[in-house]
Structures are given as C-alpha cells and as structure tokens.
Amino acid sequence: MLIDTYGRVATDLRVSLTDRCNLRCTYCMPEEGLQWLAKPDLLTDDEIVRLIGLAVTRLGITEVRFTGGEPLLRPGLVGIVERVAALDPRPQMSLTTNGIGLKRTATALKAAGLDRVNVSLDTLRPDVFKTLTRRDRHKDVIEGLEAARAADLTPVKVNSVLMPGLNENEAPDLLAWAVENDYELRFIEQMPLDAQHGWKRDGMVTAGDILTSLRTRFELTEEGSEERGSAPAERWVVDGGPHRVGVIASVTRPFCSACDRTRLTADGQVRTCLFAREETDLRAALRSEATDEEIARIWRLAMWGKKAGAGLDDPTFVQPDRPMSAIGG
C-alpha cells in the first residue's frame, strides 16, 4: 500500500512514457522545444512493465494512466499496454494524448487492452489551434477522437485549457460540440508547469469564469462530492443529463486532500505530486539489480513523505524545474 502521513492512499499511477511531443503548446513548452532526455536515461519497456507490475501486485495500484509528453510517440506503447493488461489483478488502463496518431493506433490499443482515452483539444477553430500549439494538426486530432469513439475507448474524455485572448470565450461552443459527439468535456485551469515559467495567476481563466460562461447557454446541476470521490474534476449534469461536464480547478479549488495519485516519470523518478520539486530515483535501483521488495520499499518511503498540498496558494510557491511534458499530465 502507498499511504502518506495524512492517511491518503495512492491507487492511481500516472506513467510518463516519453518527454517528447509533436506539438508546442504555448502553456507547456517553448516554440523551439526542449532538450529531450537521452535514450539511455529513459526506462526501457521491460523496466516500465516491471515497475507497473510491482505497483499493481505489491502496492495496491488499481488504475494506470499512460502519459507523456505524447505517449503515442513511444514505439513500444501497444506492447506495454498488452503486457500490463495481462497482470493479475488487471488494472484499469487509460491514455492521455494530444490525439495526433490516434486515428491509426486506436484499434490496436483497444485490442491490446486499453480501456479509454483522454484527448487534449482546446479549441474548435483550426486557426486558434495553430496559434496555441504552433502546429497545423487540428484535423488530425478531430479524426483521432472519432477513431477512439469508433474503437470503443470510452468514455472518450476531452481536456481543454482556456487561455486569455485566445480561446477564453469558447467554453459554450466546446460543450455543445462535446454533447453532440458524445464526448465528456473537462476544462482544466492553466497550471504553473510551462517551461518558460511565464504562468501568472492574474488574468488566468478560472473555474468560476468557465462556469459563468457555460451557464449562458446550459443549465448545470452539480453532481456532488459523493459522486466525485477522489476524482480531480468537479462535474455538472448538463441540461438534466445524461451528459456531464467537468472542471479541474487545480489552482483555485485544489483537491489535494483527496489525492490518490503517484507518478512515474519517463526516466524512472517517483513524484508524489505534479507540482513537487523532489523526486525519488527508482531507475538506479532497477539497474543495480534491486529486488521488487527493495524497490517497493523505496516507493513506499517516497509516498510516506508526500506533502499535504501543492502549495499553489502560498505566495512563496516556486514552480517545478521540470515542465509538464517531462513529468506527465
């Protein structure tokens, strides 16, 4: 079991498979990209599967989310999914992706055992997409979403970040589109995880702003804390149902007290929080022939030291050194 001193138990493992990405989103990385991890620093497919296996069989993990960077860029992705699906007990598996490449991989991922996907899409307008991501790939993301739905990687969830002066007024249009296409839309407040360290609390589009905008067109009924559980998204029923919309308010309405996550970076570091500045090295233990029990002990100890919260409300908050693309969203 992965328990901390505040009594929280981690059952949800986020695994970053690569730090690379084929977009250059303005809230994540600079236009020129980043210096990628060297291949020897990355965990191998076997190392990833071994760590997930011991997390599931020894540490109580029941859900695994594959992230990046962009996880579809990982050559061995389908094989990793297939091997994790064969674990006993079998964890629930999902994937967070920008959707580029999903059109050609959705069927194979479903056959390998993937349960569902989260796809990032911040705008319905191709020109705004190009401005936000610095790439002209809007059509590919839409087709990837359609392929995921056709492959039954459901519920297909769409993650959207609203940025001042770019897409901040698109919330109602995005929700109408999601309802029409049977996607579950979730808005995410912009977080201080950009490589440029340009994030500023003042002027950000908040959860309150988003809900006010949505209510100009839709009737929203709050789902309630019992339904939410430890999920990061607060959800609302749209126009009486059955569709729902979520808001992940990491900055203005933090949910740290119910957090059930542990994170593994592409180079084998345990992070207890997306905003943590400390990491615990599992790669070194793996490559020094440590036993599964020794690695599990290191992981338990790392989680035991998890802080009470992310500290975003602290005026002395210091942004993590590694951007979101390197630690997994």
Side-chain angles (χ1 to χ4, degrees), residues 43 250 268 304:
L43 294 178
S250 302
W304 182 251

Side-chain angles (χ1 to χ4, degrees), residues 16 18 27-28 34 67-69 161 191 193-195 274 322-329:
S16 175
T18 178
Y27 52 77
C28 186
L34 300 167
T67 70
V161 176
M191 295 180 284
L193 290 167
D194 58 310
L274 196 58
R322 293 224 249 178
M324 185 160 51
S325 61
I327 58 181

Side-chain angles (χ1 to χ4, degrees), residues 18-217:
T18 178
D19 59 328
R20 297 173 184 265
C21 188
N22 42 14
L23 296 179
R24 297 291 181 270
C25 296
T26 56
Y27 52 77
C28 186
M29 69 171 73
E31 186 171 5
E32 65 273 17
L34 300 167
Q35 183 168 350
W36 309 124
L37 292 167
K39 188 173 182 180
D41 293 335
L42 294 170
L43 294 178
T44 67
D45 292 1
D46 286 345
E47 288 171 336
I48 289 170
V49 172
R50 181 183 173 191
L51 287 176
I52 295 174
L54 73 86
V56 169
T57 59
R58 293 173 179 262
L59 298 174
I61 292 297
T62 58
E63 298 180 48
V64 176
R65 171 83 61 86
F66 297 107
T67 70
E70 174 44 54
L72 293 181
L73 295 179
R74 177 88 188 199
L77 172 61
V78 172
I80 291 171
V81 170
E82 189 171 37
R83 292 168 68 183
V84 173
L87 293 173
D88 186 14
R90 179 199 186 281
Q92 286 290 112
M93 287 186 293
S94 58
L95 176 85
T96 295
T97 172
N98 62 29
I100 297 173
L102 194 53
K103 180 180 179 180
R104 60 179 172 76
T105 55
T107 300
L109 287 168
K110 180 66 177 181
L114 191 70
D115 295 300
R116 63 173 190 81
V117 294
N118 286 31
V119 179
S120 298
L121 181 65
D122 304 320
T123 178
L124 299 177
R125 296 178 287 169
D127 59 323
V128 176
F129 181 92
K130 188 174 181 180
T131 299
L132 277 166
T133 67
R134 305 184 179 104
R135 297 290 186 271
D136 190 12
R137 306 297 298 271
H138 188 267
K139 180 173 179 287
D140 297 313
V141 180
I142 296 296
E143 291 179 347
L145 279 160
E146 293 169 350
R149 185 180 58 201
D152 198 28
L153 289 168
T154 55
V156 176
K157 296 184 179 181
V158 177
N159 295 338
S160 296
V161 176
L162 300 183
M163 302 284 288
L166 287 171
N167 63 338
E168 62 185 313
N169 297 319
E170 283 198 65
D173 290 339
L174 281 163
L175 182 52
W177 165 82
V179 168
E180 180 183 352
N181 288 278
D182 201 25
Y183 303 138
E184 184 175 324
L185 181 63
R186 307 192 309 172
F187 292 99
I188 304 175
E189 288 182 335
Q190 183 194 2
M191 295 180 284
L193 290 167
D194 58 310
Q196 310 92 293
H197 289 199
W199 176 87
K200 288 183 173 51
R201 183 185 296 268
D202 295 341
M204 65 173 285
V205 181
T206 67
D209 298 331
I210 293 165
L211 291 169
T212 297
S213 179
L214 292 176
R215 286 186 170 116
T216 63
R217 198 183 305 180

Side-chain angles (χ1 to χ4, degrees), residues 212-265:
T212 297
S213 179
L214 292 176
R215 286 186 170 116
T216 63
R217 198 183 305 180
F218 302 94
E219 178 185 340
L220 302 181
T221 305
E222 191 168 1
E223 191 174 58
S225 57
E226 289 186 7
E227 289 287 338
R228 180 182 182 184
S230 61
E234 296 177 80
R235 297 204 307 176
W236 284 262
V237 178
V238 180
D239 289 342
H243 294 95
R244 286 163 170 73
V245 62
V247 179
I248 299 177
S250 302
V251 177
T252 62
R253 302 180 187 179
F255 42 87
C256 302
S257 63
C259 181
D260 65 348
R261 297 179 181 180
T262 183
R263 298 175 181 276
L264 182 65
T265 67

